[in-house]
Amino acid sequence: MAEQEIRVGLIGAGGNVRTRHIPGFQQVEGLEIVAVANRSLESGHAVADQFNIPRVYQSWQELLEDESINAICIGTWPYMHRTLVLAALGKGKHVLT
C-alpha cells in the first residue's frame, strides 16, 4: 500500500493545541497542518498566521467538507467531542481527540 500524506485540519486551537499538538505535528515527516476552524474567524486567522497554516474556515462544518483533509485534530471543549468525532468519521476522516 502506498503511503499517503497526512493532511490535518484543526477544529479548535486553544492552548493545548497550540503548545502541544501543533509543535508535535510539525515534527512528523509526511504530515501537514492544512486548515483550522477556531471559535471565531479572527482567532482562526491568528493561529494560522502564527503557525503558517494555509486555510482558515468560518466553521467546523466547512472544514469537514474539505476533501483534501484526511485527518482531524479536535481541540475543543469536551462537550463538543462526540458531535465532532461522529461528524468527522462520517466524512471519512481519521480523528484525534
Side-chain angles (χ1 to χ4, degrees):
M1 181 164 76
E3 287 189 37
Q4 182 180 12
E5 182 178 75
I6 301 168
R7 298 174 53 78
V8 175
L10 304 173
I11 298 177
N16 194 42
V17 171
R18 290 191 318 272
T19 61
R20 298 287 188 189
H21 294 316
I22 293 173
F25 285 149
Q26 290 175 329
Q27 295 179 16
V28 177
E29 188 174 330
L31 184 149
E32 180 183 5
I33 302 169
V34 297
V36 61
N38 209 17
R39 186 174 292 214
S40 70
L41 195 55
E42 181 179 89
S43 66
H45 280 292
V47 171
D49 291 345
Q50 181 181 357
F51 294 102
N52 298 313
I53 300 170
R55 289 191 301 282
V56 178
Y57 286 99
Q58 176 77 35
S59 70
W60 61 266
Q61 294 95 333
E62 290 177 342
L63 185 142
L64 289 181
E65 292 298 323
D66 186 335
E67 293 182 7
S68 73
I69 295 171
N70 55 21
I72 302 295
C73 174
I74 297 172
T76 64
W77 288 103
Y79 76 90
M80 283 295 297
H81 288 181
R82 179 181 184 273
T83 298
L84 297 171
V85 166
L86 292 175
L89 291 173
K91 293 291 185 180
K93 316 286 188 194
H94 298 277
V95 179
L96 171 67
T97 307

